[in-house]
Amino acid sequence: MKAAVCREFGKPWTIEDIQLAPPGPREIRVKIKACAICHSDISYADGIWGGELPAVFGHEASGTILETGNEVTEFSIGDPVIVTLLRHCGSCFFCSSGEAPLCDSHFPLYDQSPISTLGGETLLQGLRTGAFAEEVVVDVSQAASIPENMPFDSASLLSCGVITGAGAVINTAAMQPGSNAVVIGCGGVGLNCLQGANIVGADPLIAVDLHPDKLQTAMEFGATHAFSSTEEDLSEKIRTLTQGRGADYVFVSVGNIQAMLQGFELLRRAGTLVVAGMTGVGEKLPLEAIDIGDNAVRIMGSKMGSTDLKRDMPQWIRHYQDGKLKLDELITDRYPLERINEAVEAVRKGNVMRNVIVFD
Ligand SMILES: [Zn+2]
Ligand SMILES: [Zn+2]
């Protein structure tokens, strides 16, 4: 079967024939129908978070179950599912305390990648998934059922971008209905912070980004106001919209220090700053330390929207079916696997919400 293999950091991927090990007792083999390109795939492929190569990336996927390990009872052959990088045991300290993305249990797939070339060379399962390939073998916890009639390309977005953004609002911050919120960065994750905040009823819901096009899109995804991050008196404008107090919640969707500092400045006293974007390794955040205590602010990190797939997926699907969660509208373009480098280049250039690799 075919996969896009990354052999050198920052270089185009090569389409190669690969093979998969059969699924272990608690693993499944999935035929991939769609896999969206996420910025994390590109960051890893560029080497900014370290890691080893060669690897197959792709972790925002959907498909159908082809084979189940002998202890899997959750799925049957042919079931439509999304496939995520969230590999979790469901019972460790973190899984039990609502932070399944931090699960620290050990899985057989950590010891042995299931992917190799036809010649037997081991390929790393990038982001625990390796879904820029026709099939994957993953832990059973990495999949969740989707309805038969849900389009695979739209469903794939639920695997990462949507849950990271909307989950940061609803799960991590447990945002209070009727609060006001600012979302900094209106790319894939930021638009989904907006969608999550909109579902909770945030008012006003203010989008901040550098690019005018993204601000336009933000308004379509639920923002009530949109401002350029370079706007001179941005703090003042946001205070005016919030009875002079500042933001109850600020969600920073990008891994950018300036955006995080700006978020800190826009908060009201006792407001909550939620950081959902990841910077490169080694970057430091220079905050005015006295303001943290004196203003009683809360600073929270959000990893994958504190998602518990089993708990959360039914509600995201319901919101999609009710028209409250836009997924189809998030797709910019669809590409076959053979054109993946073109799709990645378009993402790098920006102005892409989600490009999706689709399989026959
Ligand atoms: Zn992702
Ligand atoms: Zn766990």
Side-chain angles (χ1 to χ4, degrees), residues 37-41 59-60 85 127 159-161 164 304 354:
I37 298 168
C38 174
H39 273 283
S40 306
D41 293 311
H59 63 281
E60 195 164 322
L85 61 79
L127 291 119
S159 302
C160 178
T164 300
M304 298 290 297
R354 273 298 193 258

Side-chain angles (χ1 to χ4, degrees), residues 60 154 157-158 161-162 186-192 195 217 221 325-334 352-356:
E60 195 164 322
S154 299
L157 308 184
L158 286 171
V162 172
C186 300
V189 173
L191 289 177
N192 288 300
Q195 297 212 85
T217 311
F221 279 77
L325 184 69
K326 292 183 166 64
L327 297 180
D328 312 342
E329 295 85 345
L330 281 169
I331 299 176
T332 306
D333 268 312
R334 297 166 182 81
V352 167
M353 285 182 278
R354 273 298 193 258
N355 276 345
V356 184

Side-chain angles (χ1 to χ4, degrees), residues 101-307:
L102 304 180
C103 175
D104 60 359
S105 288
H106 193 80
F107 293 82
L109 285 170
Y110 289 144
D111 300 326
Q112 179 64 54
S113 167
I115 322 174
S116 58
T117 62
L118 295 188
E121 178 194 17
T122 299
L123 300 170
L124 194 92
Q125 189 174 36
L127 291 119
R128 304 175 184 160
T129 316
F132 292 139
E134 290 172 319
E135 296 175 14
V136 296
V137 165
V138 293
D139 188 77
V140 67
S141 65
Q142 293 177 248
S145 292
I146 55 171
E148 293 279 351
N149 59 2
M150 191 163 178
F152 284 106
D153 49 6
S154 299
S156 72
L157 308 184
L158 286 171
S159 302
C160 178
V162 172
I163 57 181
T164 300
V169 177
I170 292 177
N171 294 335
T172 312
M175 186 177 152
Q176 295 302 303
S179 309
N180 69 61
V182 174
V183 174
I184 302 182
C186 300
V189 173
L191 289 177
N192 288 300
C193 288
L194 288 169
Q195 297 212 85
N198 196 31
I199 287 169
V200 182
D203 185 29
L205 177 50
I206 303 158
V208 175
D209 199 291
L210 274 172
H211 303 282
D213 293 356
K214 291 194 174 173
L215 293 175
Q216 173 86 40
T217 311
M219 296 298 285
E220 290 157 26
F221 279 77
T224 58
H225 301 77
F227 295 111
S228 167
S229 28
T230 56
E231 186 114 7
E232 256 181 34
D233 44 1
L234 183 62
S235 267
E236 215 35 61
K237 289 211 159 90
I238 284 170
R239 264 172 238 291
T240 306
L241 287 169
T242 55
Q243 289 88 41
R245 285 195 296 270
D248 296 334
Y249 293 86
V250 177
F251 298 91
V252 182
S253 72
V254 287
N256 178 290
I257 296 293
Q258 284 314 316
M260 292 172 193
L261 289 174
Q262 185 166 47
F264 192 67
E265 278 171 24
L266 299 179
L267 276 187
R268 70 159 162 80
R269 300 193 85 192
T272 304
L273 178 71
V274 183
V275 177
M278 298 224 298
T279 65
V281 176
E283 297 187 42
K284 301 280 190 288
L285 188 60
L287 286 179
E288 186 66 45
I290 188 175
D291 289 346
I292 301 173
D294 190 42
N295 289 329
V297 296
R298 294 193 298 165
I299 302 176
M300 311 179 80
S302 179
K303 182 158 187 180
M304 298 290 297
S306 307
T307 293

